[in-house]
Amino acid sequence: MTVLVLGGAGYIGSHAVDQLINQEYQVAVIDNLLTGHQEAIHSKARFYQGDIRDKEFVRSVFAQESIEGVIHFAASSIVGESVEDPLKYFNNNVSGTEIVLEVMHEFEVKSIVFSSTAATYGEPEDNPITEMTPTNPKNPYGESKLMMEKMMRWCDEAYGIKFVALRYFNVAGAKTDASIGEDHHPETHLIPIILEVALGQRDQLAIFGDDYNTEDGTCVRDYVHIEDLIDAHILAFEYLKAGNPSNIFNLGSNSGYSVKQMLEAAREVTGKEIPAEVAPRRAGDPSTLVAASDKAQKVLGWQPQYTDVKKIIETAWNWHANRPNGYQE
Ligand code: UFG
């Protein structure tokens, strides 16, 4: 039986494929390679290039493979872009997922684990955020992920398709051996940008706002290592296989770090100066997002290994220093 990974050439998907194969799963990958990298896909995975919005294509993959479940990472995920172009997000994320669910229903595939996001919560006043915190997305990206969750809920009721939605906080780092890692164009995420400054590829870091209601005035986020994050997906996949009900889990570390703290940590890890300057706030940034991940630990038995943010940055640094141009070389 095969695990079908949608978006398996992307940053998070490629780490999932790698870990699944290392744990002896049979893996098939669908990716349209619009933002993913073919080189990132483990050579033992069977790769089908195409788009999840193309129903005939998706059907053809389900017809060729004996699929026991789906892990779904295929989505657009840039908050700012989603505000500029919401229909891109409703099309790719919501319509794409709807097609996947139609085909799953047709082929009687009954389990799906998928990427949701902290952005479904919007800007909650209380941290840490639990799964009981009300959802209130503030941008089309978060809204599209919440719509995906809701669609899944009704498909569970009607067709018995079980799902686990994993609401990620800030995913970071790379595989420990630095063979795969994060490579986005354009890059918008804090850690890779800091490391590009460390490598001399950018002049300085722009710190987006230092007048937030936090200890040092910069935004606080909860960083979770990519390999820990993928462990949770595999546990969730096994949880559904064991016949458990649909569920939603936060994935974070229960601790928050400010932008300035991240910068300091990166300076220590890299030994580089990393110039930085305070810039205006970035539209739509919540001040603090920290996850309570107790539920994933309790129900799934998830045990994140990377509890030190410097270790997370170190794995990202190994990747970026090793592959300064990412997969382009
Ligand atoms: N930041 C800077 N300078 C930069 C880049 C980022 O100061 O050049 C700051 C941001 O303002 C933010 C923090 O660093 O306070 C983290 O920013 P990221 O862009 O790395 O991550 P976000 O917290 O904005 O986004 C993450 C995920 C999204 C998800 C969102 C939920 O990457 O997919 O959390 O709010 F939608």
Side-chain angles (χ1 to χ4, degrees):
M1 294 293 274
T2 294
V3 183
L4 177 63
V5 179
L6 309 176
Y11 166 47
I12 300 177
S14 61
H15 285 79
V17 172
D18 186 76
Q19 270 172 248
L20 284 163
I21 285 180
N22 289 334
Q23 293 183 33
E24 313 287 334
Y25 288 86
Q26 290 285 321
V27 180
V29 169
I30 286 181
D31 201 296
N32 61 13
L33 297 182
L34 287 182
T35 53
H37 308 276
Q38 189 161 356
E39 201 197 319
I41 306 170
H42 197 293
S43 58
K44 285 191 180 153
R46 290 181 295 281
F47 174 48
Y48 299 88
Q49 185 175 350
D51 199 295
I52 58 167
R53 291 164 291 189
D54 178 348
K55 188 169 177 185
E56 283 319 305
F57 163 71
V58 178
R59 290 185 78 249
S60 74
V61 176
F62 274 72
Q64 283 173 77
E65 297 280 347
S66 172
I67 294 166
E68 64 173 322
V70 175
I71 307 186
H72 178 18
F73 303 97
S76 304
S77 63
I78 303 175
V79 171
E81 182 189 57
S82 80
V83 177
E84 303 284 318
D85 191 3
L87 290 175
K88 174 173 177 181
Y89 282 69
F90 296 127
N91 180 252
N92 193 21
N93 299 2
V94 182
S95 304
T97 299
E98 194 256 330
I99 302 274
V100 169
L101 288 165
E102 279 179 18
V103 179
M104 286 178 68
H105 178 44
E106 180 184 337
F107 283 81
E108 295 179 6
V109 174
K110 298 286 184 195
S111 51
I112 180 164
V113 174
F114 78 103
S115 332
S116 186
T117 171
T120 54
Y121 296 110
E123 297 197 49
E125 280 173 18
D126 294 325
N127 277 280
I129 297 166
T130 75
E131 293 80 358
M132 302 301 285
T133 301
T135 51
N136 185 17
K138 299 285 185 197
N139 53 60
Y141 168 64
E143 190 78 66
S144 73
K145 290 283 174 170
L146 189 58
M147 287 163 82
M148 288 164 62
E149 290 187 5
K150 289 183 174 173
M151 215 153 56
M152 303 248 179
R153 192 204 129 194
W154 294 111
C155 289
D156 179 358
E157 289 209 9
Y159 318 126
I161 296 175
K162 302 289 170 201
F163 71 91
V164 169
L166 298 171
R167 292 180 178 160
Y168 310 162
F169 284 65
N170 288 59
V171 189
K175 188 180 176 190
T176 319
D177 71 0
S179 58
I180 47 177
E182 191 167 7
D183 181 14
H184 295 125
H185 300 278
E187 188 51 76
T188 61
H189 296 100
L190 179 66
I191 295 178
I193 286 177
I194 289 177
L195 298 179
E196 285 174 15
V197 180
L199 283 171
Q201 295 172 330
R202 290 179 190 247
D203 292 341
Q204 60 181 5
L205 170 73
I207 298 173
F208 295 144
D210 68 348
D211 56 353
Y212 285 93
N213 183 23
T214 60
E215 215 155 282
D216 64 20
T218 63
C219 289
V220 171
R221 294 289 181 273
D222 182 341
Y223 294 87
V224 54
H225 191 261
I226 181 83
E227 291 188 304
D228 284 336
L229 184 97
I230 301 307
D231 284 343
H233 289 71
I234 298 177
L235 290 166
F237 192 78
E238 290 300 326
Y239 162 94
L240 289 179
K241 242 166 91 173
N244 288 298
S246 295
N247 219 328
I248 295 176
F249 300 98
N250 286 344
L251 297 181
S253 71
N254 290 62
S255 41
Y257 293 87
S258 74
V259 174
K260 282 187 176 167
Q261 285 175 321
M262 293 303 285
L263 176 62
E264 265 324 305
R267 284 173 172 153
E268 278 179 46
V269 169
T270 62
K272 307 277 182 187
E273 187 196 347
I274 316 185
E277 189 177 70
V278 176
R281 288 183 176 199
R282 186 171 67 179
D285 273 344
S287 129
T288 302
L289 290 174
V290 178
S293 296
D294 315 52
K295 184 179 169 191
Q297 300 193 16
K298 213 167 113 200
V299 178
L300 297 176
W302 185 47
Q303 286 181 312
Q305 304 298 309
Y306 285 83
T307 48
D308 177 357
V309 88
K310 275 196 227 146
K311 293 266 182 241
I312 297 180
I313 295 173
E314 201 175 281
T315 65
W317 177 236
N318 288 342
W319 157 255
H320 284 280
N322 221 359
R323 300 287 291 260
N325 299 314
Y327 291 104
Q328 267 176 3
E329 286 165 342

